[in-house]
């Protein structure tokens, strides 16, 4: 039982990796285009007043990294969001704000779950999950933000 | 709703052309990064798939499922999601593997598969994110960030289970 299970596991892993490569190939390229067109900076400047409300009393530098992290998250640039998030974390002084950033990133503020949608489309899904995913996303974000505001001093 | 993705891609391409971005090179670069990413996660995917197969063959999957099923059913969460819920905060590639196995076992349009898709799209690998984000910062403690994120995500799981019944 053990040997065939393990062999089958690795085979499924390899097959699934290929499937993911196809999805990543398309989406990373699209996101690269967005990045080069300056879309993340556009969204970042749009998010700036919102960020200043949510994260109080930080330096301009911190806000710059923060908004870039949030906008990268929104358009699904998972990989692009991380370095900005780390730099925002380093430049923020207030503990409550750092926790807020961790919670926002952990609760997944992505607008369109591209990988999941592509996986489903590849399997011929006829039902759609964009709307429920968006609602759940919004709900987890709101719950997270409220809990940070209430519980963290 | 079905047109969101094509429209999104079309707008991206139009903006890129207006901004004179080299589209072909961007795709070549995107593929290069996709290869790197795929090669990086392949060892983890293969290992988790071995784990899944062994857990199934040994009956451990069934036992975990049985143990948490009453609590999940009480909250209206499909009991098929037990393993996915445990793995989601810990590992991105691991939870993707469980999602894939839900798709192949129950079908992509089944109720548990749809709930799992929403959960995957709306939550993240909480423990991993905290570890990475704090890795270079002077302050290493994450305070209440992890418990708060876990609570918020769990509310999301319950909401997803309810929403997929009516949507």
């Amino acid at each position: 039982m053990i040997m065939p299970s393990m062999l089958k596991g690795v085979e499924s892993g390899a097959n699934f990796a290929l499937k993911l490569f196809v999805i990543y190939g398309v989406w990373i390229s699209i996101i690269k285009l967005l990045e080069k067109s300056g879309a993340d900076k556009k969204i970042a400047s749009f998010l700036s007043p919102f960020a200043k409300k949510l994260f109080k009393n930080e330096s301009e530098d911190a806000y710059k990294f923060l908004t870039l992290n949030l906008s990268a998250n929104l358009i699904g640039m998972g990989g692009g969001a991380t370095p900005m998030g780390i730099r925002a974390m380093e430049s923020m002084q207030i503990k409550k704000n750092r926790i807020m950033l961790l919670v926002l990133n952990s609760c997944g503020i992505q607008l369109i779950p591209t990988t999941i949608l592509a996986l489903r489309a590849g399997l011929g899904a006829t039902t759609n999950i964009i709307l429920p995913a968006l609602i759940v996303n919004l709900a987890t974000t709101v719950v997270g933000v409220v809990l940070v505001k209430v519980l963290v001093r | 709703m079905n047109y969101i993705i094509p429209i999104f891609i079309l707008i991206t391409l139009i903006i890129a052309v207006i901004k004179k971005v080299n589209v072909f090179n961007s795709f070549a670069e995107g593929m290069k990064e996709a290869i790197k990413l795929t090669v990086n996660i392949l060892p983890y995917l293969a290992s988790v798939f071995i784990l899944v197969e062994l857990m199934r063959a040994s009956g451990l999957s069934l036992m975990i499922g049985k143990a948490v099923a009453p609590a999940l059913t009480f909250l209206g969460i499909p009991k098929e999601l037990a393993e996915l819920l445990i793995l989601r905060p810990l590992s991105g590639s691991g939870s993707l593997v469980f999602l894939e196995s839900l798709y192949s076992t129950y079908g992509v349009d089944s109720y548990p598969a749809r709930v799992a898709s929403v959960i995957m799209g709306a939550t993240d690998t909480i423990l991993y994110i905290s570890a990475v984000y704090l890795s270079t910062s002077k302050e290493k403690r994450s305070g209440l960030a992890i418990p708060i994120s876990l609570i918020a995500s769990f509310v999301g799981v319950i909401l997803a289970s309810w929403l997929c019944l009516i949507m």
Side-chain angles (χ1 to χ4, degrees):
Chain A
M1 265 302 244
I2 288 188
M3 198 56 195
S5 295
M6 292 177 89
L7 289 173
K8 183 158 180 284
V10 179
E11 191 194 333
S12 312
N15 282 332
F16 191 51
L18 188 65
K19 221 184 258 179
L20 287 179
F21 167 69
V22 175
I23 296 171
Y24 290 153
V26 173
W27 277 110
I28 293 175
S29 305
I30 297 286
I31 284 161
K32 270 238 135 34
L33 282 178
L34 275 175
E35 207 182 333
K36 287 188 177 173
S37 316
D40 52 337
K41 292 193 182 68
K42 261 258 149 55
I43 302 172
S45 68
F46 177 77
L47 287 177
S48 178
F50 173 73
K52 283 179 180 164
K53 271 233 163 60
L54 215 50
F55 301 84
K56 294 212 168 76
N57 305 317
E58 293 288 359
S59 65
E60 276 307 310
D61 245 19
Y63 283 124
K64 193 182 85 197
F65 295 135
L66 254 175
T67 48
L68 280 173
N69 167 264
L70 296 179
S71 70
N73 263 313
L74 278 176
I75 55 175
M77 280 171 55
T82 311
M84 288 301 145
I86 290 174
R87 292 173 78 177
M89 205 55 103
E90 288 170 348
S91 50
M92 282 199 293
Q93 300 299 323
I94 299 162
K95 182 180 155 220
K96 186 171 187 165
N97 290 340
R98 281 200 296 265
I99 294 182
M100 182 69 89
L101 182 66
L102 282 179
V103 169
L104 277 183
N105 275 277
S106 300
C107 289
I109 40 169
Q110 195 179 351
L111 279 181
I112 309 173
T114 44
T115 306
I116 307 297
L117 285 179
L119 259 183
R120 291 174 57 81
L123 292 167
T126 54
T127 50
N128 208 317
I129 59 129
I130 296 182
L131 197 59
L134 202 62
I135 297 173
V136 172
N137 227 321
L138 223 73
T140 54
T141 308
V142 170
V143 173
V145 168
V146 170
L147 284 178
V148 172
K149 288 273 179 204
V150 174
L151 295 178
V152 181
R153 262 178 281 271
Chain B
M1 276 299 176
N2 289 325
Y3 296 105
I4 284 187
I5 300 288
I7 289 173
F8 180 72
I9 294 179
L10 207 62
I11 291 175
T12 306
L13 287 172
I14 291 171
I15 295 175
V17 169
I18 293 173
K19 294 266 181 185
K20 299 200 168 60
V21 174
N22 189 326
V23 176
F24 182 77
N25 280 352
S26 299
F27 269 84
E29 278 172 38
M31 295 306 159
K32 247 186 233 165
E33 272 186 36
I35 290 176
K36 255 193 252 159
L37 186 62
T38 311
V39 170
N40 280 339
I41 63 168
L42 176 57
Y44 301 99
L45 288 176
S47 309
V48 179
F49 265 111
I50 291 182
L51 180 74
V52 171
E53 291 299 333
L54 288 178
M55 277 172 69
R56 270 212 197 123
S58 66
L60 185 64
S61 279
L62 222 68
M63 274 164 63
I64 294 177
K66 268 204 185 117
V68 291
L72 294 185
T73 314
F74 177 75
L75 293 167
I77 303 166
K79 59 180 190 306
E80 294 84 350
L81 302 191
E83 295 143 306
L84 180 83
L85 294 182
I86 295 169
L87 212 59
R88 181 58 183 151
L90 297 171
S91 156
S93 46
S95 45
L96 259 180
V97 169
F98 277 98
L99 180 75
E100 164 78 4
S101 80
L102 279 172
Y103 286 164
S104 55
T105 313
Y106 301 101
V108 65
D109 288 317
S110 67
Y111 172 62
R114 276 185 304 130
V115 178
S117 311
V118 173
I119 292 170
M120 288 296 291
T123 62
D124 218 314
T125 47
I126 295 168
L127 298 173
Y128 172 79
I129 285 177
S130 291
V132 171
Y133 276 38
L134 291 172
S135 58
T136 61
S137 143
K138 284 184 292 285
E139 172 68 83
K140 300 280 183 206
R141 283 171 303 171
S142 59
L144 284 173
I146 290 174
I148 288 177
S149 305
L150 285 174
I151 294 171
S153 299
F154 198 67
V155 171
V157 169
I158 297 174
L159 184 65
S161 308
W162 295 347
L163 276 179
C164 286
L165 282 177
I166 51 171
M167 291 174 103

